[in-house]
């Protein structure tokens, strides 16, 4: 019985020992082969920038109505036009019938006088139907109206000599002068508006044209921008009154942008002649040469000269921009992955069998949940305290929770 009891106790002890060894081995192997949560770094671009409010400064001219009437536009928003292109015309709706009757009589009297003097009388003139057709084909509506008037006026009409008694007392030179005066008065019933320089047509008149132009560019500073920033809205209409804005022509080859800078500390190194890179809210990237810097204590204005991206920038007088200070290709990794070893920031890279390797990193920018770190030079090296280190690569599997790594898992 004792022997049997001893055998049972020995068997139990052996089983307990086997179970203990199993748990011990399981604990060791689970530590070695434990899988860690990891992610691969994301290759991206870090853009270091500061915000700035930009005011467009153009070489532009605003055209106003010279009288009340009906306006006809011959160009659309953003259309490029050459010098002397007819953009609009206004019909003043004047009744010129009396003037035309008077001019008919003057023409008749002038013909009688010219015949008496043995000179060639006035005929239908140089204007004919083909001239009018050409005017219409070329969308030159104002000239078409003038040519129609001239054709009508110069067409010979039967006029009684008895009605010309007063006019016959004039000389042919005086009658010619009177004819030109009447023709001019009739022509004034249609006012033509032509571009004085090549550029683009715009109906976006904002009320700041008199302040943000080339003539006033040297006046622009922080106080100037704060004073003149109220925009007005212009609505194009068919019936206009004298003095109302019609349209404007803007030189699209070169313009300026006055940038209001809240804090100059980030751009203290910039000087006149340097190239400044910008990005607009709609994603347009362009650059301009610094023309002038006006700095107060910590803020101020930087004025740049721009020669491209006019079509994207011009519609709004005031725009929000980002001034690009620096731009680097880098990696984005979780913020939680960063750990310090020997006063060097780095991450653990997953190796085989649950082992990890510490790799140094160079921090560029930190956000709430992620960080941007340097991708190193062409060979993947970074420099920390004058020492060169290999940093992470796009193929490295980074441990998200490094605090859970046991010291025995670390290879270096």
């Amino acid at each position: 019985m004792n022997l049997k009891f001893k055998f049972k106790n020995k068997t139990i002890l052996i089983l307990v020992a086997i179970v203990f060894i199993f748990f011990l081995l399981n604990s060791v192997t689970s530590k070695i082969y434990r899988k860690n949560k990891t992610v691969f770094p994301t290759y991206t671009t870090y853009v270091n920038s500061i915000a700035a409010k930009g005011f467009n400064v153009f070489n532009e001219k605003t055209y106003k109505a010279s009288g009340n009437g009906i306006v006809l536009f011959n160009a659309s928003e953003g259309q490029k036009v050459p010098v002397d292109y007819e953009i609009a015309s206004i019909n003043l709706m004047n009744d010129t019938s009396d003037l035309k009757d008077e001019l008919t009589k003057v023409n008749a009297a002038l013909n009688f006088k010219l015949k008496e003097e043995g000179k060639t009388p006035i005929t239908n003139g140089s204007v004919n139907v083909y001239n009018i057709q050409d005017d219409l084909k070329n969308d030159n509506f104002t000239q078409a109206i003038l040519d129609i008037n001239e054709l009508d006026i110069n067409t010979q009409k039967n006029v009684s000599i008895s009605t010309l008694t007063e006019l016959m007392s004039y000389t042919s030179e005086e009658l010619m002068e009177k004819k030109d005066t009447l023709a001019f008065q009739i022509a004034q019933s249609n006012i033509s508006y032509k571009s004085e320089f090549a550029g683009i047509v715009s109906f976006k008149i904002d009320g700041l044209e008199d302040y943000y132009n080339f003539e006033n560019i040297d006046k622009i500073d922080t106080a100037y921008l704060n004073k003149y920033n109220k925009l007005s809205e212009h609505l194009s209409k068919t019936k206009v009154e004298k003095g109302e804005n019609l349209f404007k022509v803007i030189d699209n080859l070169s313009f300026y942008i006055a940038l209001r800078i809240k804090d100059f500390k980030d751009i203290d190194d910039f000087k006149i002649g340097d190239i400044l890179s910008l990005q607009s809210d709609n994603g347009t990237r362009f650059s301009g040469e610094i023309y002038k810097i006006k700095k107060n204590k910590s803020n101020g204005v930087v004025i740049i000269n721009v020669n491209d991206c006019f079509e994207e920038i011009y519609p709004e007088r005031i725009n929000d921009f980002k001034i690009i200070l620096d731009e680097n290709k880098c990696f984005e990794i979780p913020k939680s992955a960063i750990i310090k070893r020997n006063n060097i920031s780095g991450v653990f890279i997953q190796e085989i069998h649950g082992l990890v390797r510490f790799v140094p990193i160079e921090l560029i920018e930190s956000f709430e949940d992620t960080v941007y770190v340097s991708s190193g030079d062409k060979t993947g090296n970074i420099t920390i305290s004058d020492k060169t280190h290999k940093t992470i690569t796009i193929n490295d599997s980074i441990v998200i929770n490094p605090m859970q790594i046991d010291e025995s898992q670390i290879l270096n």
Side-chain angles (χ1 to χ4, degrees), residues 74-138:
N74 192 29
S76 56
E77 175 67 40
Q79 180 177 330
K80 294 181 181 180
V81 296
V83 179
D84 208 33
Y85 181 87
E86 185 182 59
I87 298 169
S89 63
I90 293 180
N91 188 327
L92 300 179
M93 308 302 289
N94 294 335
D95 184 1
T96 58
S97 57
D98 290 342
L99 292 174
K100 289 181 179 180
D101 288 342
E102 181 67 16
L103 186 53
T104 299
K105 293 177 183 178
V106 169
N107 274 339
L110 182 57
N111 281 333
F112 281 117
K113 282 287 184 180
L114 292 174
K115 284 180 181 179
E116 289 179 354
E117 296 172 2
K119 298 177 181 176
T120 304
I122 297 174
T123 60
N124 289 353
S126 59
V127 177
N128 55 48
V129 174
Y130 298 107
N131 295 127
I132 298 170
Q133 288 177 343
D134 288 340
D135 294 336
L136 295 175
K137 284 179 183 178
N138 297 324

Side-chain angles (χ1 to χ4, degrees), residues 122-188:
I122 297 174
T123 60
N124 289 353
S126 59
V127 177
N128 55 48
V129 174
Y130 298 107
N131 295 127
I132 298 170
Q133 288 177 343
D134 288 340
D135 294 336
L136 295 175
K137 284 179 183 178
N138 297 324
D139 292 332
N140 196 342
F141 301 112
T142 298
Q143 188 59 46
I145 293 170
L146 293 176
D147 286 345
I148 290 170
N149 286 337
E150 186 176 344
L151 182 62
D152 178 56
I153 292 165
N154 286 333
T155 300
Q156 291 184 348
K157 295 182 175 68
N158 293 323
V159 179
S160 173
I161 190 66
S162 61
T163 63
L164 306 179
T165 304
E166 182 181 350
L167 292 173
M168 292 302 291
S169 62
Y170 289 90
T171 64
S172 59
E173 288 78 12
E174 290 172 332
L175 288 170
M176 186 66 74
E177 185 177 341
K178 190 172 183 65
K179 174 193 171 184
D180 291 340
T181 300
L182 287 168
F184 177 77
Q185 289 176 340
I186 293 170
Q188 289 306 295

Side-chain angles (χ1 to χ4, degrees), residues 27-87:
S27 174
V28 172
T29 56
S30 66
K31 181 179 290 186
I32 295 174
Y33 293 99
R34 182 172 59 199
K35 295 190 73 174
N36 303 298
K37 288 185 177 181
T38 61
V39 295
F40 290 103
T42 301
Y43 192 58
T44 185
T45 301
Y46 169 68
V47 179
N48 181 21
S49 63
I50 60 171
K53 188 78 74 175
F55 294 69
N56 294 333
V57 183
F58 297 127
N59 175 26
E60 60 186 338
K61 177 178 174 60
T62 303
Y63 293 77
K64 300 177 181 292
S66 301
N68 303 339
I70 304 299
V71 61
L72 175 66
F73 292 107
N74 192 29
S76 56
E77 175 67 40
Q79 180 177 330
K80 294 181 181 180
V81 296
V83 179
D84 208 33
Y85 181 87
E86 185 182 59
I87 298 169

Side-chain angles (χ1 to χ4, degrees), residues 189-257:
S189 64
N190 290 282
I191 304 173
S192 176
Y193 296 88
K194 297 182 178 182
S195 54
E196 297 179 18
F197 54 89
I200 69 106
V201 176
S202 178
F203 301 96
K204 297 180 180 295
I205 300 172
D206 52 40
L208 296 178
E209 286 77 13
D210 291 338
Y211 305 107
Y212 295 102
N213 52 49
F214 285 14
E215 293 179 2
N216 293 327
I217 193 165
D218 291 330
K219 300 178 183 178
I220 298 176
D221 55 17
T222 302
Y224 195 91
L225 297 182
N226 292 336
K227 184 176 181 180
Y228 302 114
N229 58 18
K230 298 295 185 293
L231 301 170
S232 61
E233 187 177 2
H234 169 71
L235 298 175
S236 297
K237 51 187 180 180
T238 304
K239 191 173 183 180
V240 296
E241 295 182 1
K242 184 176 181 179
E244 287 186 346
N245 293 321
L246 296 176
F247 61 90
K248 62 183 180 182
V249 177
I250 312 172
D251 178 2
N252 62 312
L253 297 181
S254 179
F255 63 103
Y256 294 90
I257 298 178

Side-chain angles (χ1 to χ4, degrees), residues 36-41 348-351 393-399:
N36 303 298
K37 288 185 177 181
T38 61
V39 295
F40 290 103
F348 286 134
I349 302 301
Q350 181 77 59
E351 299 289 354
T393 70
I394 193 70
N395 297 314
D396 287 332
S397 185
I398 297 173
V399 177

